[in-house]
Amino acid sequence: MSGTSEGPMPPAGTAPDTGQPMVTERDSSDVDRAELRDYRSAFQVAALPMAVVDRHGQVVRANEALGGLLGTEPGVLARQSAADLVDLASDRRTWQAYREVLGGSRSRLRCTRRLKHPDGRSLWAEITVVPMAGPPAGGGSDGVLLSVADISDRRELQNRLRHLQMHDPVTRLPNRTLFFERLSTALEGPPFQDDSLPRHGRIGLCYLDLDGFKAVNDTLGHRAGDRLLAAVATRLTDCAEADGFDRSGSHLVARLGGDEFAILVEDSAGTHQLTELARSVLNALQQPFDLAGQRLSVSASIGVVERASAGTSPTGLMQAADTTLYWAKADGKARWTLFDPERNAHRMTRQALSSTLRPAVERGEFTLEYQPLVCMADEVVRGVEALVRWNHPQFGMLPPNRFVSIAEEDGTIVQLGRWVLRTACRQARRWQVEHPGEPPLFISVNVAVRQLRDSDLVADVAEILAETGLAPGLLQLELTESAVMGSSGRPLRVLQALSDMGVRIAIDDFGTGYSNLAYLSRLPVSVLKLDGSFVRGFRYEDGAHPSPADETIVEAMVQLAHRLGLTVTAECVETSGQAERLRRIGCDTGQGWLYSRAVAPERIAELIGTRALEV
């Protein structure tokens, strides 16, 4: 015996060490073939249309579902270009991504395509292309798996949701969101267009709202208001379609909210097209509406903007349209108004002035100039009118008519008026001190009606006179005729208190306002300043004929004023002929370019004690 013992031999077909069944090369190949058959069977019977595509983009194998989708036998698809079958080359970005997946540098492509079904209907499909390792379905070298999923139902649902999001439920018109989307697209540049149609490169907009729509809602209820809006939408659409017939540009009618509508002309033929469209809209809306037995009549105000598309932004176009709509309503409603660049520039300037007016007072950007008030009898300067100027850092020196009305609207006139009064009184007192041998000049200062109502003008005047040392009799306050006439309550008490203090009250531009002479006996007025329009009728020079009516009116007013104990100042005296006639009539004081324009304080100092026409 050898001294060793051998165990029992393992059964045939098992590993000697483990006792597990041995896998031969033949057995392994049988398993691979079985798996391959399973893969191919699953691939063929899958409900999802699929194809195996080689690295060159050729179909290796297609399943039954894909053949059915494309209306052919799966075998016919072999060796065809997969990109052609599902339209992957129609745009550059998708084509590039597809090539990258084929080349192995990209892990996935997913895109949406609209395909034609064999039964004639269109369907939306989601195409997915992914690399595949090994040849499970088609055999051969590695390739990619292309699958096609029918997403028509989902796409239809998305379209319905988008329609709801982009349209107004009351009028069924595009809403504000869709309007601005379309406007932005139009301004970015037109997509593919028919070269046979002329293109103008212009855009137009009619922006409108209904006049008095709130009254319909308030009196008849929101249901009637909604019916009216829907009816208006129908008429606007009819007008837009009639105007757009046979034109190259399309029209979009939208409800922007409330009773605001817009008609966008994406390729305007010019201003005439937009104004004709606006005119037809007005005519259409002026026809009565019959709504569930109720007959309603409405009108609209329309802002019209037309301009080149290049350089125009959605924001800029809408700002212009909103401004023009405001003009249409301010001009009387029930009309259309065309955007006017000059009018808009004036508005923008006014806005700029309004926003900087109050800080300008605080920064000391205002200054005073003085225009002489000359005695008609001896032509000696007896007083001056203080005229405020704004030395604007952007617009230069501005006269009062550019900013005083703005100051009255926003209340800055109270602060500005107080500064003007203090500065003028201080200057008048300085002239008096510097020329002790001459009769002191009185100072005339304009006062806005808002100063009477919104400030303690009596206290301000008393404080400033005490501060500067100017006598009350040397201060004259000018108010316009429209501000003084009809005064009662607080304004009348203010005027009376100022008069009791010794301050003189003058009515400026007399003869152009109410001209109710009965008020003169009730108001504490000392001076009437005749409006310059009467004085201009006295002109003899340059062959011009004087107006007998103006002379008669002025003479009557001067005589009446004198009988009431008032003095009269004539404004806008420009010629010696006018001055002579006013002197004969009995006018007390004259003011105008014949004597001097408004000048700096230093120039007034030179006129003190002299005849104005001799300096």
Side-chain angles (χ1 to χ4, degrees):
M1 295 181 66
S2 63
T4 62
S5 63
E6 296 181 0
M9 295 295 292
T14 61
D17 295 331
T18 64
Q20 299 297 320
M22 295 179 59
V23 179
T24 65
E25 182 177 347
R26 180 177 179 179
D27 293 334
S28 176
S29 63
D30 290 342
V31 171
D32 288 343
R33 283 194 293 273
E35 290 180 351
L36 183 58
R37 284 194 299 272
D38 292 341
Y39 281 132
R40 286 180 174 175
S41 297
F43 176 80
Q44 290 294 341
V45 301
L48 181 67
M50 293 184 291
V52 175
V53 181
D54 64 22
R55 293 297 185 185
H56 302 289
Q58 304 295 316
V59 174
V60 177
R61 180 181 297 274
N63 68 358
E64 295 288 343
L66 184 60
L69 178 70
L70 299 178
T72 187
E73 291 296 326
V76 176
L77 301 177
R79 311 310 304 168
Q80 292 193 39
S81 169
D84 292 342
L85 295 176
V86 290
D87 194 27
L88 294 182
S90 60
D91 70 87
R92 182 178 301 177
R93 180 176 297 180
T94 300
W95 173 249
Q96 179 64 30
Y98 174 61
R99 300 300 302 172
E100 290 174 359
V101 175
L102 291 179
S105 61
R106 187 185 181 101
S107 62
R108 176 182 296 268
L109 165 65
R110 178 173 288 137
C111 64
T112 302
R113 285 293 183 271
R114 193 171 188 174
L115 305 179
K116 195 78 170 180
H117 196 274
D119 63 9
R121 64 184 175 88
S122 294
L123 61 89
W124 284 99
E126 184 177 78
I127 314 297
T128 304
V129 183
V130 295
M132 50 184 295
S141 61
D142 290 356
V144 298
L145 181 65
L146 180 148
S147 62
V148 183
D150 186 348
I151 60 169
S152 298
D153 291 343
R154 180 174 45 168
R155 184 84 176 202
E156 183 180 354
L157 177 60
Q158 291 174 343
N159 288 340
R160 288 180 180 177
L161 291 175
R162 174 175 169 79
H163 187 275
L164 291 174
Q165 293 172 348
M166 296 293 186
H167 287 76
D168 169 52
V170 174
T171 63
R172 307 298 176 90
L173 292 177
N175 61 14
R176 190 179 191 88
T177 302
L178 181 54
F179 171 81
F180 277 99
E181 183 178 292
R182 181 90 166 259
L183 175 59
S184 299
T185 301
L187 291 175
E188 287 170 0
F192 172 79
Q193 61 190 43
D194 185 347
D195 292 336
S196 66
L197 296 175
R199 304 295 293 187
H200 305 97
R202 302 187 68 82
I203 196 162
L205 180 64
C206 290
Y207 182 37
L208 66 136
D209 71 6
L210 303 181
D211 302 324
F213 177 72
K214 184 177 182 299
V216 175
N217 266 345
D218 292 344
T219 57
L220 302 179
H222 289 279
R223 182 172 298 180
D226 287 349
R227 286 198 295 265
L228 176 59
L229 291 174
V232 167
T234 299
R235 294 192 185 180
L236 294 180
T237 302
D238 291 344
C239 290
E241 290 177 351
D243 182 76
F245 185 72
D246 283 342
R247 293 188 185 270
S248 59
S250 58
H251 295 359
L252 175 73
V253 182
R255 181 190 177 197
L256 303 187
D259 61 334
E260 295 180 0
F261 295 86
I263 303 178
L264 177 65
V265 180
E266 294 187 34
D267 189 47
S268 167
T271 300
H272 65 281
Q273 180 188 358
L274 268 295
T275 55
E276 284 299 320
L277 176 58
R279 189 175 289 110
S280 69
V281 167
L282 279 183
N283 292 336
L285 295 183
Q286 286 173 352
Q287 303 303 315
F289 291 86
D290 291 316
L291 305 174
Q294 293 176 317
R295 191 173 178 85
L296 299 177
S297 296
V298 298
S299 62
S301 299
I302 308 176
V304 181
V305 182
E306 200 279 340
R307 59 180 56 172
S309 300
T312 298
S313 68
T315 301
L317 186 68
M318 290 308 299
Q319 286 178 342
D322 185 67
T323 297
T324 313
L325 174 59
Y326 171 81
W327 293 343
K329 299 184 84 67
D331 291 344
K333 301 182 180 180
R335 68 188 63 218
W336 59 266
T337 299
L338 183 65
F339 180 77
D340 181 354
E342 292 186 7
R343 184 174 180 180
N344 186 59
H346 178 75
R347 181 187 70 90
M348 296 299 292
T349 303
R350 186 178 178 87
Q351 287 182 344
L353 295 178
S354 178
S355 63
T356 57
L357 184 56
R358 193 177 300 275
V361 178
E362 299 169 355
R363 288 193 299 263
E365 293 179 3
F366 292 90
T367 185
L368 292 185
E369 291 183 344
Y370 303 89
Q371 187 170 31
L373 294 162
V374 178
C375 175
M376 300 296 293
D378 57 13
E379 296 180 341
V380 173
V381 177
R382 300 298 184 188
V384 292
E385 179 181 354
L387 299 171
V388 63
R389 305 284 190 262
W390 185 358
N391 189 9
H392 196 282
Q394 179 181 356
F395 303 112
M397 193 67 75
L398 301 178
N401 61 359
R402 292 290 303 277
F403 59 85
V404 167
S405 61
I406 302 174
E408 290 179 345
E409 289 175 5
D410 66 10
T412 310
I413 192 66
V414 173
Q415 180 184 3
L416 178 60
R418 190 179 294 119
W419 177 86
V420 170
L421 184 63
R422 177 174 283 105
T423 304
C425 289
R426 185 180 294 125
Q427 181 60 62
R429 177 59 178 162
R430 183 178 299 117
W431 286 323
Q432 183 180 7
V433 171
E434 292 174 353
H435 299 81
E438 301 293 341
L441 300 180
F442 70 86
I443 188 81
S444 189
V445 178
N446 290 280
V447 175
V449 65
R450 191 158 183 174
Q451 290 176 263
L452 296 179
R453 296 172 179 168
D454 296 354
S455 69
D456 193 345
L457 185 60
V458 176
D460 288 343
V461 170
E463 176 186 336
I464 291 171
L465 291 177
E467 174 189 316
T468 60
L470 187 69
L474 295 178
L475 175 61
Q476 176 174 290
L477 299 181
E478 295 187 20
L479 295 95
T480 61
E481 181 179 356
S482 58
V484 175
M485 293 304 180
S487 291
S488 60
R490 175 177 168 78
L492 181 57
R493 291 193 298 270
V494 170
L495 294 179
Q496 189 62 59
L498 291 170
S499 179
D500 293 343
M501 190 186 300
V503 175
R504 293 194 291 181
I505 305 298
I507 299 179
D508 196 13
D509 299 329
F510 186 78
T512 61
Y514 297 99
S515 298
N516 190 336
L517 301 179
Y519 281 107
L520 293 179
S521 62
R522 295 172 44 196
L523 294 173
V525 176
S526 304
V527 181
L528 296 184
K529 297 189 71 174
L530 300 183
D531 185 72
S533 60
F534 295 109
V535 177
R536 293 188 186 98
F538 285 29
R539 193 176 185 91
Y540 285 87
E541 289 77 0
D542 303 325
H545 298 286
S547 168
D550 283 343
E551 292 191 34
T552 302
I553 292 171
V554 171
E555 186 172 7
M557 287 193 292
V558 170
Q559 291 176 0
L560 175 62
H562 286 169
R563 292 194 177 188
L564 293 174
L566 309 179
T567 60
V568 179
T569 299
E571 299 179 299
C572 300
V573 182
E574 298 177 354
T575 69
S576 57
Q578 291 172 331
E580 177 61 27
R581 182 59 181 158
L582 289 167
R583 187 181 302 111
R584 290 179 185 175
I585 289 175
C587 193
D588 303 288
T589 310
Q591 176 182 3
W593 290 357
L594 173 65
Y595 307 113
S596 174
R597 296 172 182 259
V599 293
E602 295 76 16
R603 175 58 178 161
I604 295 297
E606 298 173 1
L607 298 176
I608 294 177
T610 64
R611 297 180 72 243
L613 295 180
E614 294 179 351
V615 179

